[in-house]
Amino acid sequence: MPEGTTPVIGGESGDGAGRSAWSAPARALTGWLLLAALVVLLDRLSKLAVLEVLKSTQVVEYTGFFNLVLAFNRGAAFSFLADAGGWQRWFFSAVAVLAALVMLWLLQRHATERLFAFSLAMLLGGAIGNVIDRLVHGHVIDFLDFHFDFLAPLFTGGHFPAFNLADSAITLGAACLLLDEFIRVRRGR
């Protein structure tokens, strides 16, 4: 490296004349990873607070359509495979870890694509939040309970299955991923 130049993260070198030490993709990647970490932190803190305040069968009614509950989900979404006998804990944990690795790889490659990277950061944070539950507790801690009369034909008493902040981040990430793909397809026409 020539004297007087400094390395720039991202593979470039520069003379330091007003340039950042980080490339734009590296800065973007760092931001998305921090967002994913924030999702994990908020998810963990909310679950710890709920574990501290609520008992297993307790329901705290806030509105005519929203309660706080303490529910333990040993399965996947909508308690899929919840009664499978225990192997699902390790299976879903392994799937989440593999998915997180793929999302990290995709984030590194597409960090400057805002909507796509936002989607991945939400999915990553949510996946890590729930896998922590599986590894630490053997189940995912759910506590948000929304209920509406129009859901009664689908769910007992109209109660949508309880969920948590990690689930919300996963849902938002999936919705934004679909939106990103829709926008990409529309631009291609």
Side-chain angles (χ1 to χ4, degrees):
M1 182 177 301
E3 196 171 318
T5 61
T6 56
V8 177
I9 296 173
E12 303 170 15
S13 63
D15 58 7
R19 285 198 240 177
S20 170
W22 291 55
S23 68
R27 282 192 312 272
L29 177 61
T30 300
W32 299 125
L33 293 176
L34 288 172
L35 179 59
L38 178 63
V39 169
V40 173
L41 177 66
L42 293 175
D43 180 63
R44 292 301 310 146
L45 290 174
S46 65
K47 289 172 179 174
L48 291 172
V50 166
L51 284 173
E52 190 70 29
V53 173
L54 295 179
K55 293 181 179 35
S56 181
T57 58
Q58 186 178 359
V59 175
V60 178
E61 295 181 20
Y62 279 98
T63 68
F65 62 89
F66 174 69
N67 303 326
L68 277 183
V69 299
L70 181 57
F72 302 122
N73 182 359
R74 294 187 186 328
F78 302 104
S79 296
F80 175 67
L81 293 176
D83 298 328
W87 62 267
Q88 70 276 23
R89 170 188 185 184
W90 305 110
F91 174 74
F92 291 134
S93 295
V95 168
V97 168
L98 181 62
L101 292 172
V102 170
M103 286 182 267
L104 285 169
W105 178 75
L106 286 169
L107 266 174
Q108 181 190 14
R109 293 178 48 93
H110 302 279
T112 58
E113 298 173 32
R114 286 188 188 149
L115 185 55
F116 185 65
F118 174 79
S119 304
L120 292 173
M122 292 288 102
L123 290 164
L124 179 63
I128 291 171
N130 281 342
V131 85
I132 289 171
D133 275 3
R134 288 188 196 288
L135 296 176
V136 171
H137 303 288
H139 52 258
V140 174
I141 299 163
D142 291 326
F143 56 91
L144 300 171
D145 173 35
F146 286 89
H147 51 95
F148 301 97
D149 290 338
F150 72 88
L151 291 176
L154 299 171
F155 303 108
T156 306
H159 288 261
F160 189 80
F163 58 98
N164 57 50
L165 294 184
D167 297 333
S168 299
I170 290 168
T171 302
L172 177 61
C176 288
L177 202 57
L178 291 172
L179 177 61
D180 180 67
E181 186 59 24
F182 177 75
I183 291 169
R184 227 183 280 258
V185 168
R186 298 279 295 174
R187 281 187 191 146
R189 288 185 182 178

